[in-house]
Every structure is written in C-alpha cells, then in structure tokens.
Amino acid sequence: MIMFSYNREIMLKFLVVVMMSLPIAAGEVIDVFDFATEAQEKRYQSLIAIFRCPKCLNTNLAGSDGPIAADLRREVSRMVMEDLSDEQITEFMQSRYGDFVLYDPPFRMDTWVLWLGPLLVLLLGSYFLRGLQRSAARAMNDEERADLEKLLGERDASNDQD
Amino acid sequence: MASTMNRWRMFIPLCGFLLLAVILLLGFSFNDPHILPSALLKKSMPAFSLPGLKDSNRLVTNEDIKGRIVLVNVWATWCPTCKAEHAELLRLKKKYGLEIVGIVYKDKRDKALSWLEAYGDPYSVNIFDSDGRLGIDLGVYGAPESFLLDAESTILYKRVGDINSRIWRDELEPRLKTLKFFDPDSVVDPS
C-alpha cells in the first residue's frame, strides 16, 4: 500500500513535468541550429528579424513558415556560424533578392523620393499654410473697410432698436 | 482681380490630392507586389556544380551551358504551374530549337524522372538542386521561374511564373531576335 502511493506520487510528478513541457515544445520554432555560442544564437535571431521573406509581403524570415523562408534561415544560420559580418550577410541577401528583402531600404538615386518625399510634402504644406495665414492677416483695403463699416453699422442699428 | 486669384488658389489642395490619387492608383494597379524584380539581371549565372538528374554521378557545371543561348527553367513536380507551362516548353524546343536547361528545385529524383517520362522532356540537361541552394543563388523564391541567358551566360531576362505563348511573343522572342538567335547562320540544328 505504501509502495502504491509512492509510485502514484512519482507518476503524478512525472505527469506534471510532461504537461509543463508540452506547450513549450509546441511553441518552439522547428529550426534547430547548433550555434557555438549564445552570442551567435542572438545574432541569428536579430538577423532573421530584419530580413523580409521574399515570398510573403509582410512577414520577416523569423515569422514566415514558407519553405523559402526556412531555406534562407538555414543560410543565415550558416553564415552566422561562419562568423560573417552583418554587412556580408546583408550583401548576400540583397544581391540575390534585391532591396525587397530589406525593411530598411538604402538611399539611392532611385529611392530618394521614398526618403525625401514626406519632407517635400511637409515643406509644400507649410508653404501653403503660410500663404493662407498671410492672406488672413493682411490689412484690409478701403473697399473691404467700407464693407465692414457698413455691416457694423447695420448691426449697431439693429441693436439700438432692441 | 484678387478674388479670382483666390478662387483659383482654393483648388490647389484638390489638385494635390488628385495628383497623389493618380500616382497611388498607377503604383498599386500596375505593380504586382508578388513579383520581385530580379537582382541578377545583367549579371552572370552564379557558379554551380551539381549532380545531373539522369546521371547522378555526372556533375553539371557552368561549363556545360557556356557559349550558347539557353533558357534556364526552375521546376518541380510539386508545382502545378510547372505542369501548366510544360507543353509550351516542349513547343519552344521543338519549333525553334531553343535550348532549355532545367533546374529540378527541391524535389525527389524518382518523381522528377517519372514526370519527364510521362509528359515529355524538353530539357537538354537537368541540374538536380535538391536543397535549393542554387535556387537561392539565383534569387528563386518559388517555381516555376525562368532565366534567359546569352552566350556569355549573362542573365538577360527573368520570368517569375509560367512560360506561355504571351511571354514567348512579348518577352522571349524579341530578346532572341536581338541576340540574332533566328539568323540562319547561328541556328543550331534542332535534331
């Protein structure tokens, strides 16, 4: 009887451990790479976050379950293990898949609109706004003043009647 | 006079808005965001040395496709569009003697072999790229994709999707004409 309850306690503990490990196993990414150091693992994680999956429009390599994203994660892990620099890895991705894979596009002749466009719109807008303010703030000419006097006169007249 | 000026200025924001609307409309309707412009245009075919499909002992390398105009076609048996374009590839090979080099992309050897058995074989040679490493060097992100290479193995054109009669007429044929592919002197005997 004592043996039985002892076994049951072990079984219970074992079950708890199994159940606790289940959700972790299910949530883990499928890729398993043997990085030599934790720093490499960290670099890998940060790199797959900054490259865009070529097949998907709005997912990075880390978040995509597409086959091409898995292949590219494998390539990135290989380059991290070979201690290639971030520039070399970016060059690898960009020379094959173009600017598309970069969330941070380079400043070039054909991308200046992308970078300076908002500034241009801001300048145009503020120029236009200033024009509006200036025309509102300018002094009245004689014709306008006469109109205003007339309106005020009418108002005063109607006020007097009350 | 001043008031007519002001009346016209009222329309400046509207004009700005319309301009922006037209730009965005053009940008969103003519640009399929699913089709990436190739980063490899005007570049050389990446270096490769991979086993052939039919003879796994024989390595296929850049030397095997040098000196000729070829269409490199990335395909797989798991890709339905590859099935759709297959007849057109057979036609181009038969009618124009266009040399088509296949890259079997992330596929099983026996599956690819029985596919060619069943549907016909338009390829002069097939490169067996089981893990998709050559595909990555070519910027491939799906199948089918095709690359037109000149005699120096420079990539002149990339097609993401199927090769069909429209692509032949609008994209491939004009480029092949520029390369003098159809000139009687340079025509290879299609036998």
Side-chain angles (χ1 to χ4, degrees), chain A residues 14 17 29 48 51 57 66 68 70 86 90 106 115 118 147 150 159:
Chain A
F14 178 67
V17 169
V29 196
I48 60 171
F51 293 121
L57 289 184
I68 185 64
D86 286 4
T90 305
W115 286 99
D147 281 348
K150 199 175 144 210
N159 279 353

Side-chain angles (χ1 to χ4, degrees), chain A residues 88-106:
Chain A
Q88 285 170 309
I89 297 177
T90 305
E91 157 67 19
F92 177 95
M93 296 291 293
Q94 199 185 0
S95 64
R96 284 160 180 79
Y97 291 96
D99 293 343
F100 185 92
V101 290
L102 309 176
Y103 278 112
D104 195 3

Side-chain angles (χ1 to χ4, degrees), chain A residues 76-94:
Chain A
V76 170
S77 75
R78 178 183 59 78
M79 290 185 281
V80 166
M81 286 188 241
E82 289 170 8
D83 279 327
L84 266 64
S85 70
D86 286 4
E87 287 74 32
Q88 285 170 309
I89 297 177
T90 305
E91 157 67 19
F92 177 95
M93 296 291 293
Q94 199 185 0

Side-chain angles (χ1 to χ4, degrees), chain B residues 69-117:
Chain B
I69 296 164
V70 293
L71 184 72
V72 174
N73 177 242
V74 181
W75 66 282
T77 58
W78 47 259
C79 139
T81 316
C82 299
K83 175 79 188 65
E85 74 170 353
H86 201 71
E88 180 66 12
L89 294 181
L90 285 165
R91 187 182 79 90
L92 297 182
K93 157 94 168 89
K94 195 165 173 237
K95 188 164 178 191
Y96 305 100
L98 179 66
E99 178 173 352
I100 305 172
V101 171
I103 296 178
V104 184
Y105 178 63
K106 302 187 75 170
D107 207 348
K108 295 268 184 296
R109 193 180 290 274
D110 52 340
K111 279 190 182 168
L113 285 169
S114 50
W115 159 293
L116 293 179
E117 190 78 33

Side-chain angles (χ1 to χ4, degrees), chain B residues 19 25 30 81 160:
Chain B
L19 192 74
L25 189 74
F30 291 130
T81 316
V160 176

Side-chain angles (χ1 to χ4, degrees), chain A residues 132-152:
Chain A
L132 273 183
Q133 277 173 340
R134 192 174 291 167
S135 69
R138 101 188 132 77
M140 283 182 287
N141 59 28
D142 290 343
E143 195 185 333
E144 284 165 339
R145 186 166 293 123
D147 281 348
L148 183 64
E149 303 269 282
K150 199 175 144 210
L151 281 168
L152 288 175

Side-chain angles (χ1 to χ4, degrees), chain A residues 55 71 75 78 96-97, chain B residues 106 133 136-137 139-141:
Chain A
K55 187 80 186 173
D71 287 358
E75 288 300 312
R78 178 183 59 78
R96 284 160 180 79
Y97 291 96
Chain B
K106 302 187 75 170
R133 191 54 185 68
I136 287 178
D137 284 346
V140 169
Y141 57 97

Side-chain angles (χ1 to χ4, degrees), chain B residues 35-45 69-74 85 92 98 138 144-150 153-176 179:
Chain B
I35 294 185
L36 271 63
S38 178
L40 278 106
L41 287 182
K42 299 199 178 76
K43 303 232 173 87
S44 285
M45 174 79 185
I69 296 164
V70 293
L71 184 72
V72 174
N73 177 242
V74 181
E85 74 170 353
L92 297 182
L98 179 66
L138 275 166
E145 286 189 19
S146 298
F147 301 83
L148 183 66
L149 269 54
D150 68 9
S153 287
T154 304
I155 296 168
L156 298 181
Y157 167 73
K158 177 189 182 179
R159 163 73 176 159
V160 176
D162 64 328
I163 299 288
N164 51 45
S165 52
R166 186 180 59 81
I167 292 296
W168 167 256
R169 191 193 62 214
D170 295 346
E171 307 287 353
L172 292 176
E173 202 176 20
R175 286 183 173 85
L176 288 170
L179 291 172

